[in-house]
Amino acid sequence: MDEETRVIRKVIKIDSDTLACGFYFLRMNVLCNIFVLEHPELNLPFPMRGNVGLCSGYFGHGVNEDVLENVKNENIAIIRIKNSQSYNKKLIDFLHGEDFENIDIRDKESFKKVYDYFCILELYYDKITKSRKPEMYLPISQGGLYSIDATQKYFELIGYWTAKEENRVNNPGGLAMKKRGERNKEVIQALLADLQIKSLGVFRTNKALRKKFYDMAKQLTDCDSEDRVSKIARLILNGKPVLALQKKP
């Protein structure tokens, strides 16, 4: 290998590694913001990002560890692609000309689509970094254009939902929703204590306790589904992260 090729490969690998890290932090930021939108009762700031520069707050400083812990504890299907093999196939299709899925910034589900593309782009740059001949892997400029498209769409989503969240928080309906959310948490927390429920896993064997808990929760709150009650209960049972979320500005 001649010296020029060695230098080119080194530069490509450094750039690709940087971009892979960047898309990792961006997708973590997506997870945090999905959680914020799905839990208005926690009154968390949206967008969740570090207050550092125009974009740098999204790269490494916009990840809230308490929020990420709650995302894991909820055990919800955030991503739509289920495993690394699926991502590899999606990456191949993507780089052979498959277009972006339609991303409607008015639809919250579009955050999950953007999350998928960030995962794909992280994988793309990671593969280039690990390649023995990175300059031959795939046209670097092609990935660069996709990176710009995906990142631009995410910031369009952030902009639209920031305005929407501000309107929700600043109107009487938003305040009423916050108060209902706080009341729901208080009631469910009291029920968990009164019934001595330490984990929702107990419901797998104690059907009578399960029925009693959900029946009472739905009667005493405005939660009309067991799924909603369960989400709030899991946050409470996880303890410290829930309190930390409420206290952080």
Side-chain angles (χ1 to χ4, degrees), residues 187 191 195 211-221:
V187 170
L191 282 174
L195 298 175
K211 184 177 188 305
K212 183 176 182 180
F213 171 71
Y214 284 114
D215 284 351
M216 292 179 69
K218 286 190 284 186
Q219 288 173 12
L220 297 173
T221 69

Side-chain angles (χ1 to χ4, degrees), residues 187-197 209 212 216 220:
V187 170
I188 292 172
Q189 187 167 22
L191 282 174
L192 290 168
D194 290 344
L195 298 175
Q196 297 183 352
I197 297 170
L209 180 62
K212 183 176 182 180
M216 292 179 69
L220 297 173

